[in-house]
Amino acid sequence: MHKRIRAKIESYMSIQSILNQNLNHFEPDPSAKLQVQSFLQNCKRIESMFVKLNQPTEWVTAENNKLFKLLIKNSQVMEIAINRLVADTNDMELFDNLNIHLRNIKRGIQLRRINSGYFLHNLCEIYQSQLEKYGTSQEFLQAYRQILLNIEDNILNRKKIKDQNERNRKEFNDLVASINQFLKDKLDWTINSYQDSQAELYFKYYSARKLKKYHTRHYSVRGFIVDKDTGQPITYGIVRVLENDMQTKITKNGNFNFMNFPEGQFTLEVENHAYHSCQQIIRRYSNEHLNLKIELQAFPVTHPG
């Protein structure tokens, strides 16, 4: 939540407490009483809506991380079976398809991993009669496909939660704006009329109306990318977050930085044209800096001739 919105909510709750303690003062004034009641009702609404804000999606990410690990494990069973079939048939096209999609399943964006998972499943379906003796039975392939379906369901659930969060956030912000306008246009003027007769009420009300100042820090995830063998900084490249659309560039000094990184468990993928890609799981469950050091293994140098 934005710090200014948070300050407004705290102000509203303080005003709510003050008005509840002084309801008897508004009994002789129907107009003032109606305004106070309207404000108090909106405070109850905003408290109720606050609970719905930012429903967590970390559990979905954690569940999919488990499913992807299981997908990789079962893909390795397929790898063994297909390699044995290739050894029997010398079908190198089958071997090449296997390696391409195994790489995609082990790393890459979610869509690519899922598509390669289905491709590998369909490949095994085609050769199922020949592969069954190597451990990829029809039941195994059905279970493999179910993992992929569960991953897709989780991705859809996560999107639904995020979309609902966005709708809740808009409704919440609209109500905050409406309350703020109501205070400026009506309740402030009403309380002003009590300045002389109820000086303490007037003073407490306007003290609560002052927004608390927050000194916030921009928490982030920072990192340093180095060569695994030499320890030297790796210049340029990309660091992306597989679970969302965040990505950032590696600088010429080997650094990267994500500002305002969300809480939860995420997978960073680091890519540089001269190095093997690397994935690293990070966990950030509180407002804190994460400082990472990530090592990449260089591709072997090929010599002509």
Side-chain angles (χ1 to χ4, degrees):
M1 182 185 296
H2 191 279
K3 60 183 180 180
R4 185 166 179 81
I5 297 293
R6 182 170 55 180
K8 285 182 179 180
I9 302 308
E10 291 186 4
S11 172
Y12 298 162
M13 296 304 105
S14 296
I15 294 171
Q16 179 188 37
S17 176
I18 292 164
L19 295 178
N20 276 325
Q21 294 170 15
N22 293 273
L23 289 176
N24 60 307
H25 296 309
F26 304 106
E27 286 295 335
D29 187 343
S31 176
K33 181 180 178 181
L34 184 62
Q35 289 180 19
V36 169
Q37 288 175 340
S38 176
F39 175 80
L40 294 178
Q41 287 171 359
N42 278 332
C43 283
K44 288 182 179 179
R45 283 184 61 203
I46 213 163
E47 286 181 279
S48 174
M49 293 170 61
F50 183 80
V51 177
K52 300 178 183 178
L53 289 180
N54 299 320
Q55 293 298 309
T57 60
E58 288 80 7
W59 66 271
V60 184
T61 300
E63 180 65 25
N64 259 7
N65 286 339
K66 293 178 184 177
L67 289 171
F68 272 119
K69 287 180 181 178
L70 183 59
L71 187 72
I72 292 171
K73 181 180 177 181
N74 287 2
S75 297
Q76 289 168 342
V77 175
M78 293 180 172
E79 178 184 15
I80 294 170
I82 293 175
N83 276 328
R84 293 184 68 180
L85 180 60
V86 169
D88 291 343
T89 62
N90 201 31
D91 187 343
M92 297 311 297
E93 182 179 356
L94 179 60
F95 179 77
D96 290 340
N97 278 328
L98 168 68
N99 287 332
I100 290 170
H101 292 286
L102 277 175
R103 283 198 300 270
N104 288 342
I105 290 169
K106 290 177 181 178
R107 64 173 182 266
I109 61 174
Q110 284 186 340
L111 182 60
R112 186 187 303 163
R113 300 175 80 181
I114 294 168
N115 287 341
S116 286
Y118 277 118
F119 184 93
L120 192 56
H121 170 271
N122 294 338
L123 194 65
C124 288
E125 285 275 8
I126 294 171
Y127 293 92
Q128 199 272 326
S129 60
Q130 297 164 272
L131 292 171
E132 188 166 8
K133 61 183 176 181
Y134 302 128
T136 56
S137 64
Q138 191 63 45
E139 292 76 12
F140 177 88
L141 293 179
Q142 288 174 353
Y144 186 87
R145 181 178 174 82
Q146 189 59 52
I147 294 171
L148 291 165
L149 293 172
N150 290 342
I151 289 173
E152 289 182 313
D153 285 344
N154 280 342
I155 292 173
L156 182 60
N157 285 337
R158 185 175 184 273
K159 184 179 186 304
K160 287 180 179 178
I161 294 171
K162 289 177 72 69
D163 289 346
Q164 186 60 54
N165 282 343
E166 186 61 34
R167 289 192 291 271
N168 291 344
R169 196 155 41 242
K170 183 180 184 307
E171 186 180 356
F172 182 84
N173 289 337
D174 287 346
L175 180 57
V176 169
S178 175
I179 292 174
N180 203 49
Q181 198 63 46
F182 175 82
L183 290 172
K184 288 180 179 179
D185 293 346
K186 295 185 177 181
L187 196 54
D188 283 355
W189 291 98
T190 297
I191 298 299
N192 285 343
S193 67
Y194 287 83
Q195 183 174 1
D196 294 331
S197 61
Q198 299 294 335
E200 185 178 0
L201 168 62
Y202 174 86
F203 174 78
K204 287 181 177 180
Y205 175 86
Y206 277 101
S207 294
R209 283 284 275 133
K210 292 180 181 178
L211 299 186
K212 181 179 179 181
K213 293 184 179 179
Y214 283 91
H215 301 284
T216 59
R217 299 167 63 187
H218 296 286
Y219 296 98
S220 61
V221 173
R222 296 189 177 97
F224 187 49
I225 313 298
V226 299
D227 186 295
K228 186 174 182 179
D229 296 324
T230 67
Q232 294 299 309
I234 294 174
T235 59
Y236 305 115
I238 294 291
V239 181
R240 60 173 56 90
V241 185
L242 298 186
E243 290 79 9
N244 56 40
D245 298 327
M246 296 180 73
Q247 73 173 39
T248 189
K249 294 181 180 179
I250 302 171
T251 69
K252 64 179 181 179
N253 298 318
N255 299 308
F256 70 89
N257 186 39
F258 286 104
M259 299 300 294
N260 302 317
F261 201 90
E263 296 181 8
Q265 177 172 297
F266 298 90
T267 307
L268 299 185
E269 181 175 60
V270 185
E271 292 184 351
N272 178 283
H273 70 280
Y275 290 82
H276 292 284
S277 297
C278 169
Q279 289 186 7
Q280 179 164 328
I281 293 176
I282 63 171
R283 296 175 180 85
R284 184 172 172 276
Y285 292 120
S286 60
N287 287 337
E288 62 181 356
H289 286 292
L290 283 185
N291 292 299
L292 309 172
K293 181 180 179 181
I294 300 176
E295 297 177 333
L296 297 187
Q297 182 67 57
F299 288 125
V301 178
T302 57
H303 298 283

